[in-house]
């Protein structure tokens, strides 16, 4: 057991406490209370927005070097404390310690990348159609942004939303996910330690009431949300009612195609990584494994052996390869879908049983289900857990048709030695991101992130594309 943290809201650069009825538990050992937290509401959101609005003018008009310095220093501090913060993340979210430290390093690099982007924001000089007239375009900050973040990447996703927002001169109010407030608070504390002016970044901890208050607030100019489709639709409706900008990331049901010519060992490792690491709790996870007939049986048998051998346990145990689900409800969702797949005729190759370990936790046995059909619920609804299903196909064209046949379109992968099929897949896969001979989960922080269909809505996140959401373009004409 480790000491329990006492969390606070951050409003106007100050910690604002009060009663702390909320608890975040260690999913590896539910006897361990990671943190007590306050429960905010509309009043706290209003105070935070007021502080962000007051800070906007000074922050937006400051030299970009000021923004560079804060973000760069915060990135350095997080990098220095990656083991400490990574351990907190793993304790609170359930990722293995190497995964928790790795995510913390990613957050540090995101902050440093956007520190540089603060200095690289550029426009254009254009020739007017009228002699003697010059045209310039440049980007300007917009105002106060509301950020609603999920629990599965509790420091990286807050970092990749906060960093571009403030790098380009905006201010923010962020609501972290209920299960992981301590990890988000660690990021906010580091930003202030790095010299962030009061009110530029504000955080309100709470449940859906906080999110609804952010979406409805008249002084918030844009909402960036990562979460489920159902909640995302409500966020979009609320934002558009008052003409606020909106950016949504809402998950995936990502296919991995394995063709007959694939290197078997490589294909198995790619599927294992994409489907089961981070307990399958990644929106880019490979949840549908579409395998050509000639390699299908060997692939399923080999992957089944690898899945069965995964060591499930306490996230902080160095021998653990897969940690628990983040919560009891998330654990039960995985087992519910395993039952649904069985009832529809799916064959459980390995897993599917309840786990009893030496500590009370929300553990899920990693599960591989074969002989499923394209229209089965297991192949159309996001499980968000360590559960993967396989589908047998006769040809590449059939595989591509099945891969494209769902409402999601975030990430899609193929394992093949055929350049023809690889290039065709990159063009025709209906997904925002495609992977050739790589896991569907695993993306870089300096390039655009986002999907198609019902996976994403609005401008892309991350990389150079972030400027499209967090700035507005002004076109300026002048004559001599």
């Amino acid at each position: 057991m480790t000491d329990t943290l006492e969390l606070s809201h951050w409003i106007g650069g100050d910690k604002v406490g009060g009663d702390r009825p909320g608890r975040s538990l260690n999913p590896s050992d539910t006897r361990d209370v990671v943190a007590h937290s306050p429960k905010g509401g509309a009043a706290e959101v209003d105070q935070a927005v007021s502080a962000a609005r007051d800070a906007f003018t000074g922050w937006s008009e400051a030299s970009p070097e000021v923004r560079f310095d804060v973000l760069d220093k915060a990135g350095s501090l997080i990098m220095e404390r990656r083991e400490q913060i990574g351990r907190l993340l793993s304790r609170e979210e359930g990722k293995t310690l190497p995964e928790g430290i790795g995510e913390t390093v990613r957050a540090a690099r995101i902050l440093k990348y956007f520190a540089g982007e603060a200095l690289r924001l550029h426009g254009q000089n254009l020739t007017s159609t009228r002699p003697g007239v010059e045209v310039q375009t440049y980007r300007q900050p917009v105002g106060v942004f509301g950020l609603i973040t999920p629990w599965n990447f509790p420091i990286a996703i807050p970092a990749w939303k906060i960093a571009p927002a403030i790098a380009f001169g905006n201010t923010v109010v962020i609501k972290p996910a209920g299960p992981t407030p301590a990890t988000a608070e660690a990021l906010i504390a580091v930003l202030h330690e790095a010299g962030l002016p009061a009110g530029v970044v504000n955080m309100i901890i709470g449940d859906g009431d906080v999110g609804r208050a952010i979406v409805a607030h008249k002084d918030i100019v844009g909402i960036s949300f990562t979460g489920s489709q159902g909640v995302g639709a409500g966020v979009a409706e609320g934002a558009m009612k008052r003409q606020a900008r909106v950016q949504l990331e809402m998950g995936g049901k990502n296919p991995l195609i394995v063709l007959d010519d694939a290197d078997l060992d490589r294909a198995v490792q790619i599927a294992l990584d994409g489907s089961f690491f981070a307990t399958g709790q990644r929106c880019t996870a490979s949840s549908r494994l579409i395998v050509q007939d000639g390699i299908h049986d060997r692939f399923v048998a080999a992957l089944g052996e690898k899945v069965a051998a995964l060591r499930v346990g306490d996230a902080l145990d160095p021998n653990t390869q897969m940690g628990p689900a983040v919560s009891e409800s998330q654990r039960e969702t995985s087992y519910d879908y395993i039952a649904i797949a069985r009832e529809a005729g799916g064959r459980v190759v390995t897993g599917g049983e309840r786990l009893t370990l030496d500590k009370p936790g929300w553990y899920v046995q990693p599960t591989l289900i074969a002989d499923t059909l394209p229209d089965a619920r297991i192949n159309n609804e996001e499980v968000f857990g360590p559960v993967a299903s396989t589908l047998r196909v006769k040809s590449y064209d059939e595989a591509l048709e099945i891969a494209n046949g769902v409402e999601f379109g975030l990430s899609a992968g193929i394992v093949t030695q055929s350049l023809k099929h690889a290039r065709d897949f990159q063009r025709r896969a209906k997904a925002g991101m495609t992977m050739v001979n790589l896991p569907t989960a695993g993306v870089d922080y300096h390039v655009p992130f986002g999907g198609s269909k019902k996976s994403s809505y609005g401008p892309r996140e991350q990389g150079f594309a972030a400027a499209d959401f967090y700035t507005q373009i002004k076109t300026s004409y002048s004559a001599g």
Side-chain angles (χ1 to χ4, degrees):
M1 299 277 183
T2 308
D3 290 342
T4 299
L5 302 173
E6 300 296 326
L7 306 182
S8 302
H9 307 303
W10 282 82
I11 301 175
D14 295 325
K15 289 186 174 186
V16 178
D19 294 337
R20 293 179 171 87
R23 297 192 309 165
S24 60
L25 301 180
N26 179 350
S28 297
D29 184 347
T30 54
R31 300 167 298 182
D32 176 24
V33 180
V34 178
H36 293 131
S37 57
K39 182 180 179 181
E44 288 78 12
V45 169
D46 196 54
Q47 294 168 23
V49 174
S50 179
R53 190 179 61 241
D54 291 345
F56 174 72
T57 299
W59 182 247
S60 63
E61 294 179 357
S63 165
E65 281 189 334
V66 173
R67 301 195 286 274
F68 172 92
D69 288 343
V70 170
L71 286 164
D72 186 61
K73 184 176 181 181
S76 295
L77 290 171
I78 288 175
M79 190 70 77
E80 290 169 7
R81 300 170 192 171
R82 58 188 177 274
E83 293 192 7
Q84 173 191 341
I85 296 174
R87 179 171 287 273
L88 171 63
L89 191 160
S90 294
R91 180 183 168 214
E92 187 175 47
E93 195 272 348
K95 281 185 169 75
T96 65
L97 186 56
E99 290 169 339
I101 293 172
E103 182 185 334
T104 303
V105 169
R106 181 185 181 91
R109 296 198 185 280
I110 289 168
L111 295 176
K112 284 183 167 289
Y113 171 80
F114 280 108
E117 289 295 272
L119 300 172
R120 288 189 288 265
L121 195 62
H122 57 79
Q124 294 177 305
N125 287 320
L126 303 168
T127 301
S128 172
T129 58
R130 292 167 287 175
V133 176
E134 293 183 352
V135 183
Q136 293 178 316
T137 69
Y138 52 96
R139 292 182 178 271
Q140 293 182 312
V142 188
V144 180
F145 279 84
L147 313 177
I148 302 172
T149 61
W151 47 260
N152 63 321
F153 285 92
I155 192 168
I157 291 181
W160 88 42
K161 292 182 188 292
I162 290 172
I166 67 174
F168 302 140
N170 303 287
T171 57
V172 306
V173 176
I174 182 170
K175 177 204 173 297
T180 54
T183 306
E185 205 261 0
L187 171 63
I188 306 304
V190 166
L191 285 166
H192 285 88
E193 183 181 344
L196 189 73
V200 173
V201 174
N202 307 271
M203 181 181 76
I204 306 299
I205 300 170
D207 54 23
D209 289 342
V210 173
R212 285 184 285 273
I214 287 173
V215 171
H217 203 288
K218 64 182 180 59
D219 291 326
I220 289 181
V221 300
I223 312 291
S224 180
F225 166 86
T226 300
S228 69
Q229 280 188 349
V231 177
V235 169
E237 183 179 4
M240 286 185 283
K241 276 182 180 178
R242 55 183 190 81
Q243 298 178 321
R245 297 176 176 219
V246 65
Q247 176 188 70
L248 309 176
E249 293 296 340
M250 298 172 291
K253 192 65 186 174
N254 309 295
L256 178 70
I257 295 173
V258 180
L259 296 185
D260 283 347
D261 66 353
D263 178 290
L264 179 62
D265 291 340
R266 187 175 186 182
V268 167
Q269 190 57 45
I270 286 170
L272 186 73
D273 181 322
S275 301
F276 296 99
F277 289 167
T279 319
Q281 295 176 148
R282 297 184 284 187
C283 57
T284 52
S286 310
S287 52
R288 293 183 295 147
L289 308 176
I290 305 168
V291 189
Q292 197 170 358
D293 193 64
I295 199 175
H296 177 276
D297 291 350
R298 289 179 293 135
F299 172 84
V300 170
L303 179 59
E305 288 182 7
K306 292 280 190 181
V307 174
L310 287 174
R311 292 189 296 272
V312 179
D314 190 317
L316 300 179
D317 184 334
N319 294 316
T320 293
Q321 293 175 293
M322 194 186 88
V326 73
S327 65
E328 182 179 17
S329 63
Q330 208 62 37
R331 178 190 65 186
E332 293 308 305
T333 294
S334 291
Y335 282 115
D336 286 346
Y337 274 101
I338 292 167
I340 288 167
R342 276 181 164 141
E343 290 169 4
R347 172 173 61 89
V348 175
V349 177
T350 186
E353 303 302 324
R354 295 278 175 172
L355 283 179
T356 302
L357 303 183
D358 60 347
K359 296 175 182 176
W362 294 310
Y363 298 102
V364 178
Q365 191 173 39
T367 302
L368 179 64
I369 304 170
D371 304 333
T372 67
L373 298 175
D375 60 354
R377 286 182 62 189
I378 193 66
N379 291 318
N380 288 272
E381 299 174 13
E382 189 174 35
V383 179
F384 222 65
V387 180
S389 53
T390 69
L391 301 99
R392 186 193 296 262
V393 296
K394 294 186 180 301
S395 66
Y396 164 73
D397 287 334
E398 182 186 0
L400 183 65
E401 182 180 2
I402 290 173
N404 288 338
V406 298
E407 292 185 338
F408 293 94
L410 184 56
S411 183
I414 189 170
V415 188
T416 182
Q417 297 182 59
S418 165
L419 180 61
K420 172 187 173 182
H421 287 138
R423 290 289 181 254
D424 185 78
F425 176 79
Q426 288 177 316
R427 289 191 300 269
R428 295 172 60 201
K430 294 179 180 178
M433 299 175 289
T434 60
M435 308 289 184
V436 176
N437 295 323
L438 289 166
T440 57
V443 297
D444 293 346
Y445 56 83
H446 67 299
V447 295
F449 176 96
S452 62
K453 296 189 277 188
K454 290 189 177 181
S455 283
S456 301
Y457 182 87
R460 289 290 190 252
E461 292 197 278
Q462 296 199 86
F464 56 84
D468 293 336
F469 184 63
Y470 290 108
T471 66
Q472 55 192 0
I473 295 176
K474 178 172 284 186
T475 304
S476 179
Y477 295 84
S478 60

